[in-house]
Amino acid sequence: REGPAQAGGRMIKYKDSLLLTVGDYKDLTLYKTVENRLFCKILSINLKTKKHKILSKGHRNPQGLLYIEEEDLIISSEHGPKGGDEINRILTDTKEIPHYGWPIASHGNFYGSESTEIRKQIMKFKNHEDNGYVEPILIFEPAIGPSEIVKAEYKSNKSFLVASLREKSLFEFEYSKNEKEAKVTDEVYLGERIRDIKLMENGEYFLILGNTGSFAILNPL
């Protein structure tokens, strides 16, 4: 491993639990043992019992997480490999733990530094659904470096914003729980890496910007 990168680490309140995302820590050999470990998972940690369970698996580096209580809907953003960033709906009503593909299925590509042995073992498929995995609701090609997701309440109940690091923008997309795919509807360029974004009670958005280490307020009107 190369250190504490691609670690995930997003936490949100979910019913009587906390959800915690855990990435792969840049360890491409995890394909050998990942099913038996807590890497590449979204965990649900019960606040009363302190016990955890695996909510979903097959995640490379999920950095955005949103729970909409009134719709019982969980949406996650995830850094994929080269050209394979994802927005996923996290399923909670399946008989088995839903698998989102990593490291076997990905719409991304190799960077070029991977060993020949690794290339034989991971990223075998682009298509998720035909190979037993959950297909992303949205794929960013080229990659945008997605961070947090919030509701775009100034638009509609089905509008969302995902912050980006690579593209230094906010991407607006629409998604309804009954749909298989989301659709990008707008991009707001800010010119800085957007590490985090939170919707405040007054309808404005609080942002943490990475290039200058600044806080910012965005008024959508």
Side-chain angles (χ1 to χ4, degrees), residues 116-155:
T116 301
E117 180 61 27
I118 288 293
R119 285 171 172 261
K120 291 179 181 178
Q121 300 298 331
I122 71 171
M123 294 170 61
K124 296 180 178 180
F125 311 116
K126 295 283 188 183
N127 185 286
H128 289 53
E129 188 173 13
D130 290 349
N131 295 285
Y133 304 109
V134 181
E135 196 73 41
I137 61 172
L138 185 59
I139 304 158
F140 286 99
E141 298 176 300
I144 66 166
S147 52
E148 181 63 305
I149 293 178
V150 292
K151 288 291 295 290
E153 293 193 348
Y154 57 91
K155 274 293 184 72

Side-chain angles (χ1 to χ4, degrees), residues 7 66 70 75 89 100 107 113 124 141 151 195 207:
L66 174 66
E70 57 270 26
I75 300 179
R89 176 192 168 188
Y100 288 80
H107 287 275
S113 58
K124 296 180 178 180
E141 298 176 300
K151 288 291 295 290
R195 177 59 62 182
L207 300 95

Side-chain angles (χ1 to χ4, degrees), residues 168-186:
K168 303 177 181 179
S169 296
L170 295 172
F171 287 85
E172 183 184 286
F173 67 93
E174 290 186 351
Y175 177 69
S176 173
K177 188 174 181 179
N178 297 322
E179 297 172 338
K180 292 187 66 174
E181 296 181 355
K183 179 178 68 174
V184 174
T185 54
D186 201 3

